[in-house]
């Protein structure tokens, strides 16, 4: 905390009236704030994860979410970090995993794991990333197992806006992504911080003699998360949905529980019965349809695609009639037609861009519990779709300006790491060396204009990542594996405003990207065959 703020805090204690005068009369402003919970610069308190006093805080339930939050708080407290650090840790875990210990990643990071969705490179073994306490140590920069910089490695993190401090560690495309979770994180810390550890316990909630060995697994409280469970049916999720979905049919409730369990979807983000509506009179009004709401982000889109794909792949067991997603419909009885386009209804919600809509049959002939226990991710075990014939490059990268395509005798999606160069501000992302060099120059100019880095949501895609996207996205929304420009390490998908047609950032790219060898292909432009404001390709410079 800076000196003027510290002095203000003292005056607040001594002369309340003076504080009002100072607050209304101007002076230095502490952009990080202290919230309503008091001084968050004090050392955070340990919490007993086996004695959580509340069943939920907002949409976050005691088991597993608040227990996971307690373990994050304890990792910070054991290192004598502040309450602010605890809030930051919980904000991050909410934004990355909704405080659930996920044993899977997404298309952008298939190797991401755990509460913080930490990648394999730099964040430890899978076992360490899947242990909430150890993963939190890594995030805070206090764990010997993690090589990547954590929060305490970020110079001046205590004085930054909380979301910006997180961004320095997580390196996500949108620096303000986590801002929306600050209030919830403060509420959780406030609810848990007065639950002291029992005598003889460590921050892990287990006796000191076993704490370092057993980690989270030493807890006696049940700690299963849905994707790690042997069953595809979480009874806690069932109970939450039974209350929140309204009078849906019994087989709809069962199927929705299974889908939410295996995709780790928050029950609070699922809509069920509602009255009226002439578009689908045999859906929501009759208890035969549900909506899985997802955020309008790349991560939300990936989640929605996974939910839609799982529902279709297990339609027989789940009694699915049809699925609507991204202005397309898939009808189980017309499976040979695949995804079919629908009329433009106007808003993102009406076009089902912010939620997959799943409609179920009137009668149940299948048992939802016979459905798969986890969504199939092609490429992880050598299975999945048949490989199409791949392009192969030839010779060194061509000089000057060229259409992006094969180069260097490499196979699409199998470019060796020593032929790639990491994008410095986008953790885990890389491109061909010359493409990265020009992207860095363009980013410097973009940052001068807008004060932030270009948000990189995707760059080089391995063949396995291409398989996964091709399998999970609706027809036409992903290139066939082995043909994507991303597979040549010559394309990026951008956020930070560039992903919106007509925004100042997008217009800046249209005017300036060509100077650095980057172009927006005709098909991706507004009015093109497949408009994608975010997709840009490297053609080289003369």
């Amino acid at each position: 905390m800076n000196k003027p703020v510290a002095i203000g805090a003292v005056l607040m204690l001594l002369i309340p009236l003076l504080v009002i005068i100072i607050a209304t009369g101007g002076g230095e402003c502490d952009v990080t704030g202290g919230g309503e919970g008091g001084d968050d610069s004090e050392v955070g308190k340990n919490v007993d994860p086996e004695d959580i006093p509340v069943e939920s805080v907002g949409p976050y339930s005691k088991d597993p979410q608040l227990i996971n939050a307690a373990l994050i708080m304890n990792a910070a407290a054991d290192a004598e970090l502040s309450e602010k650090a605890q809030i930051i840790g919980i904000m991050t875990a909410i934004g990355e995993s909704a405080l659930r210990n996920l044993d899977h990643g997404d298309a952008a990071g298939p190797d991401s794991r755990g509460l913080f969705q930490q990648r394999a490179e730099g964040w430890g073994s899978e076992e360490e990333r899947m242990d909430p306490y150890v993963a939190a140590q890594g995030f805070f920069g206090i764990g010997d197992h993690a090589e990547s910089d954590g929060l305490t490695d970020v110079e001046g993190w205590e004085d930054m806006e909380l979301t910006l401090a997180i961004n320095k560690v997580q390196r996500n495309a949108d620096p303000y992504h986590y801002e929306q979770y600050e209030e919830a994180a403060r509420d959780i810390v406030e609810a848990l911080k007065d639950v002291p550890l029992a005598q003889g316990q460590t921050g892990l909630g287990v006796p000191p003699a076993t704490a370092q060995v057993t980690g989270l697994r030493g807890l006696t409280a049940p700690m299963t998360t849905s994707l790690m469970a042997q069953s595809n049916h979480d009874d806690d999720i069932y109970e939450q949905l039974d209350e929140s979905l309204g009078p849906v049919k019994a087989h709809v409730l069962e199927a929705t529980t299974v889908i939410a369990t295996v995709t780790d979807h928050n029950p609070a983000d699922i809509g069920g019965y509602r009255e009226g509506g002439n578009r689908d009179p045999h859906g929501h009004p009759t208890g035969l349809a549900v909506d899985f709401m997802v955020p309008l982000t790349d991560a939300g889109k990936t989640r929605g695609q996974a939910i839609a794909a799982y529902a279709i792949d297990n339609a027989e067991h789940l009694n699915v009639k049809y699925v609507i997603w991204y202005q397309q419909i898939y009808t189980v009885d017309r499976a040979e037609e695949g995804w079919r386009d629908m009329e433009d209804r106007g808003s993102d919600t009406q076009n089902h861009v912010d939620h997959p809509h799943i409609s179920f049959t009137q009668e149940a002939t299948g048992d939802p519990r016979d459905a798969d226990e986890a969504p199939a991710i092609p490429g992880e075990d050598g299975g999945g779709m048949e490989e199409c014939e791949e392009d192969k490059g030839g010779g060194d990268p061509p000089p000057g300006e060229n259409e992006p395509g094969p180069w260097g005798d490499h196979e699409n999606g199998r470019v060796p790491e020593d032929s790639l160069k990491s994008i410095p501000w986008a953790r885990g992302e890389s491109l061909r060396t010359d493409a990265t060099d020009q992207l860095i120059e363009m980013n410097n100019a973009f940052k001068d204009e807008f004060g932030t880095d270009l948000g990189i949501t995707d760059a080089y895609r391995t063949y396995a990542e291409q398989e996964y996207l091709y399998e999970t996205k609706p027809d036409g929304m992903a290139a066939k594996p082995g043909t994507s420009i991303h597979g040549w390490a010559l394309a990026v998908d951008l956020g930070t405003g560039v992903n919106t047609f007509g925004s100042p950032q997008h217009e800046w790219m249209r005017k300036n990207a060509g100077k650095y060898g980057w172009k927006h292909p005709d098909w991706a432009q507004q009015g093109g065959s497949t408009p994608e404001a975010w997709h840009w390709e490297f053609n080289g410079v003369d």
Side-chain angles (χ1 to χ4, degrees):
M1 181 178 291
N2 53 41
K3 291 183 178 179
V5 175
I7 293 170
V10 173
L11 291 173
M12 188 186 306
L13 295 174
L14 299 176
I15 314 173
L17 180 59
L18 181 58
V19 176
I20 296 174
I21 296 172
I22 292 173
T24 57
E28 185 164 347
C29 174
D30 178 10
V31 296
T32 60
E36 297 179 358
D39 185 2
D40 59 17
S41 65
E42 295 180 355
V43 173
K45 296 180 180 179
N46 280 107
V47 179
D48 187 349
E50 296 185 337
D51 190 27
I52 303 297
V54 294
E55 290 301 315
S56 64
V57 176
Y60 306 104
S61 60
K62 176 162 68 174
D63 185 2
Q65 291 160 304
L66 297 185
I67 294 176
N68 287 333
L71 292 164
I72 294 171
M73 291 175 67
N74 289 344
D78 288 346
E80 298 187 348
L81 296 180
S82 64
E83 184 177 302
K84 180 181 291 184
Q86 293 177 320
I87 294 168
I88 288 174
I90 293 173
M91 282 174 64
T92 308
I94 293 175
E96 295 290 350
S97 66
L99 280 171
R100 294 182 179 274
N101 200 29
L102 305 181
D103 70 344
H104 65 93
D106 55 22
D111 60 341
S112 299
R113 295 291 184 272
L115 291 176
F116 298 92
Q117 286 291 278
Q118 291 162 330
R119 303 291 296 270
E121 183 179 353
W123 292 103
S125 68
E126 182 164 354
E127 182 180 10
E128 289 165 333
R129 290 176 287 138
M130 286 298 297
D131 185 314
Y133 183 89
V134 176
Q137 287 182 312
F139 170 79
F140 290 126
I142 55 176
D144 294 336
H145 67 285
E147 298 176 0
S148 296
D149 288 344
L151 182 66
T152 56
D153 298 310
V154 177
E155 184 177 355
W157 69 268
E158 301 97 328
D159 299 319
M160 292 182 180
E161 290 184 61
L162 306 196
T163 184
L164 299 183
I166 297 170
N167 179 254
K168 293 292 185 181
V169 180
Q170 299 297 99
R171 300 289 182 179
N172 54 305
D174 180 4
Y176 289 93
H177 166 68
Y178 304 95
E179 187 175 39
Q180 60 191 303
Y181 306 115
E182 180 174 346
E183 182 178 357
R186 289 186 182 276
D187 289 344
I188 289 172
V189 170
E190 191 66 25
L192 302 187
K193 69 180 183 180
D194 292 323
V195 188
L197 288 171
Q199 187 172 3
Q201 282 188 321
T202 68
L204 290 164
V206 295
T210 60
Q212 297 303 318
V213 178
T214 61
L216 174 64
R217 293 165 293 284
L219 288 169
T220 57
M223 288 300 294
T224 54
T225 58
S226 22
L227 284 175
M228 296 177 67
Q230 294 300 310
S231 169
N232 62 7
H233 187 284
D234 187 307
D235 291 340
D236 288 339
I237 290 177
Y238 177 89
E239 292 176 5
Q240 292 179 62
L241 291 174
D242 191 24
E243 293 182 4
S244 63
L245 290 183
V248 298
K249 303 294 185 183
H251 64 285
V252 173
L253 175 59
E254 287 285 341
T256 306
T257 299
V258 168
I259 298 170
T261 298
V262 300
T263 62
D264 209 64
H265 201 78
N266 188 345
D269 293 332
I270 304 173
Y273 172 84
R274 63 173 179 262
E275 296 180 355
N278 54 18
R279 286 192 182 275
D280 188 20
H282 303 296
H284 289 290
T286 54
L288 289 171
V290 293
D291 295 333
F292 284 76
M293 305 306 295
V294 296
L296 291 170
T297 62
D298 290 339
K301 186 175 180 180
T302 299
R303 172 174 285 276
Q305 288 159 355
I307 291 168
Y310 179 81
I312 292 168
D313 290 344
N314 294 273
E316 181 179 357
H317 300 306
L318 297 172
N319 302 295
V320 171
K321 184 178 180 181
Y322 62 81
V323 178
I324 302 177
W325 170 239
Y326 251 78
Q327 206 177 325
Q328 291 187 311
I329 183 170
Y330 184 101
T331 305
V332 174
D333 288 345
R334 300 167 61 180
E336 70 281 356
E337 300 177 53
W339 287 93
R340 310 188 316 276
D341 292 335
M342 299 181 67
E343 64 179 13
D344 185 351
R345 296 177 178 177
S347 71
D348 289 331
T349 297
Q350 290 173 319
N351 285 328
H352 299 85
V353 173
D354 60 2
H355 69 281
H357 168 97
I358 303 175
S359 188
F360 299 88
T361 58
Q362 178 71 38
E363 302 296 332
T365 57
D367 184 348
R369 298 193 191 212
D370 290 336
D372 295 337
E373 292 186 0
I377 300 179
E380 288 194 342
D381 57 2
M385 68 188 71
E386 295 182 4
E387 296 186 7
C388 65
E389 183 176 349
E390 299 173 38
D391 293 327
K392 292 187 177 181
D396 296 324
E401 185 174 340
N402 297 276
E403 288 293 320
W407 61 278
D409 287 326
H410 304 308
E411 295 180 353
N412 187 292
R414 295 189 172 99
V415 179
E417 289 187 12
D418 59 7
S419 295
L420 301 172
K421 183 173 181 177
S422 296
I423 301 171
W425 66 95
R427 185 175 47 133
E429 302 293 352
S430 57
L431 293 167
R432 196 173 73 186
T433 298
D434 56 338
T436 295
D437 289 340
Q438 290 298 317
L439 184 67
I440 291 171
E441 289 192 27
M442 183 168 67
N443 181 68
N444 291 337
F446 182 89
K447 195 169 184 178
D448 287 343
E449 180 71 19
F450 296 103
T452 187
D453 290 314
L454 277 165
I456 310 294
T457 62
D458 205 3
Y460 171 64
R461 286 180 190 163
T462 65
Y463 191 89
E465 289 172 331
Q466 294 178 55
E467 279 190 308
Y468 173 71
L469 291 173
Y470 188 72
E471 180 74 9
T472 57
K473 283 191 174 185
D475 289 348
M477 293 188 67
K480 289 183 178 180
T483 66
S484 172
I485 301 300
H486 285 283
W488 295 122
L490 295 172
V492 291
D493 291 344
L494 302 176
T496 331
V498 179
N499 53 327
T500 302
F501 287 114
S503 70
Q505 294 88 345
H506 188 85
E507 291 303 307
W508 186 93
M509 283 290 295
R510 288 183 59 203
K511 295 176 182 177
N512 295 282
K515 303 174 187 176
Y516 307 97
W518 287 90
K519 291 188 177 181
H520 197 204
D522 292 342
W523 60 266
Q525 294 180 22
Q526 196 166 24
S529 59
T530 312
E532 292 185 357
W534 55 86
H535 181 88
W536 297 73
E537 298 177 353
F538 184 68
N539 290 55
V541 291
D542 289 330

